[in-house]
Amino acid sequence: MRRFSADYLRRTRDGMWAGDRETLDALRLNDCDRVLDVGCGEGALTRVLREECPGEVAGCDRDPALLSDLGGPVVRGDARRLPFVDGSFDAVVCQALLINLPTPRQAVREFARVASGRVACVEPDNAAVSVRSTVPAERRLASRARRRYLAGVDTDVALGADAADLLRAEGLSGVSTARYDRTFVVEPPYGEADVRAVTRKASGAGLRARRATMAGTEEELDALRGEWREMGREAVRQLRDGDYRREETVPFYVSVGEV
Ligand SMILES: C[S@@+](CC[C@H](N)C(=O)[O-])C[C@H]1O[C@@H](n2cnc3c(N)ncnc32)[C@H](O)[C@@H]1O
């Protein structure tokens, strides 16, 4: 079971949905009295839904530690056996949950059971992430690390637009999909989190922490970590001079279907 800290989730979702929210239109949040966000974590999407929906938005996660700071209605629960009766919510939504489940279709079936109106999934395609950096080696190394991750992880982390097929397979109708690019930029003036993230590259701590989900022998991963740390040291040098800039785009897909 993969665990996520509130700090990691805050860092990776910071600013997501800050701008254009048109891709959420198909959810018709304005018409909803009750919405459920499953696998809500520390509430990155829950807070957005609460801003957009005049009704009540509940968060649900199997990890109680993540729910403790969210406030509002929150329920501890497993996406595969939701603790709600049939048709309890106008809309059931998740973000970056299905990519972490070995049997995502089972969760979609549960969403369709407890929803009376719409089911929506916001899922990334981690195989299509793109990186641009002022450190020449960073893009190549990020792509090497990503290939090892895609080969080593035991769930479909590239699900993205294919989530729409899961909705159709579970009998949802009128399924639509819209792409939403999540772009992270590190550039001057650097924030505290930027400095921490760049320093972490130079230590190789990020790659070490992801060992369990990366394919390869110890020698292969040691070699990758060695090059990664060298790249990180160059990033730290550029950061000190105010020259470092990195842009990463993660495509998310918002798939919505009617019960
Ligand atoms: C990558 S995080 C996404 C969190 C949040 N939706 C967001 O976008 O920041 C995946 C979340 O799903 C939760 N999760 C994983 N498996 C679950 C399950 N079977 N039932 C409910 N929640 C689950 C994890 O605890 C975690 O909070």
Side-chain angles (χ1 to χ4, degrees):
M1 166 171 127
R2 228 168 291 155
R3 296 197 82 92
F4 299 87
S5 69
D7 183 51
Y8 168 84
L9 291 174
R10 262 183 227 113
R11 198 162 19 95
T12 52
R13 300 287 181 267
D14 184 34
M16 185 168 178
W17 300 117
D20 182 5
R21 293 180 178 173
E22 258 172 38
T23 35
L24 297 177
D25 284 357
L27 262 157
R28 304 206 310 276
L29 290 164
N30 258 327
D31 300 342
C32 293
D33 292 323
R34 294 196 75 210
V35 174
L36 180 67
D37 178 14
V38 186
C40 64
E42 56 78 49
L45 182 66
T46 323
R47 284 187 290 274
V48 172
L49 298 172
R50 285 177 180 166
E51 283 169 20
E52 299 296 323
C53 174
E56 182 179 81
V57 178
C60 174
D61 202 286
R62 71 172 173 196
D63 185 344
L66 291 173
L67 295 174
S68 55
D69 290 338
L70 180 55
V74 289
V75 180
R76 184 183 181 181
D78 190 322
R80 296 161 300 181
R81 287 179 304 277
L82 288 169
F84 305 105
V85 298
D86 297 2
S88 313
F89 295 90
D90 300 304
V92 176
V93 189
C94 70
Q95 176 172 282
L97 168 71
L98 300 184
I99 57 159
N100 290 297
L101 300 179
T103 54
R105 187 168 162 182
Q106 193 185 354
V108 172
R109 188 172 310 149
E110 269 298 87
F111 297 176
R113 180 184 68 75
V114 302
S116 59
R118 284 163 294 290
V119 170
C121 309
V122 182
E123 296 294 330
D125 177 354
N126 284 307
V129 173
S130 62
V131 172
R132 282 164 37 175
S133 168
T134 49
V135 177
E138 184 160 12
R139 180 182 186 160
R140 177 178 52 80
L141 288 171
S143 137
R144 237 169 87 188
R146 191 174 324 112
R147 280 198 301 276
R148 295 215 168 270
Y149 171 57
L150 291 167
V153 70
D154 57 2
T155 60
D156 183 2
V157 293
L159 185 67
D162 296 341
D165 293 336
L166 297 180
L167 299 189
R168 287 188 197 99
E170 285 306 319
L172 293 151
S173 60
V175 176
S176 65
T177 305
R179 176 172 165 156
Y180 178 82
D181 280 347
R182 160 82 173 112
T183 300
F184 306 82
V185 180
V186 176
E187 64 186 356
Y190 306 115
E192 208 180 295
D194 298 334
V195 175
R196 234 181 301 130
V198 176
T199 311
R200 198 169 151 85
K201 278 188 218 298
S203 75
L207 281 190
R208 263 199 311 280
R210 288 164 57 193
R211 172 66 184 103
T213 52
M214 294 187 82
T217 62
E218 276 316 314
E219 290 71 30
E220 285 167 335
L221 291 175
D222 267 349
L224 174 61
R225 279 193 291 263
E227 287 185 59
W228 189 271
R229 282 196 301 271
E230 201 176 306
M231 173 274 286
R233 286 192 289 272
E234 174 58 20
V236 169
R237 274 192 289 275
Q238 289 194 7
L239 187 96
R240 277 192 203 126
D241 294 339
D243 293 334
Y244 183 66
R245 187 180 193 282
R246 175 182 187 273
E247 187 175 308
E248 177 183 288
T249 300
V250 183
F252 279 76
Y253 291 86
V254 181
S255 304
V256 184
E258 303 279 339
V259 173

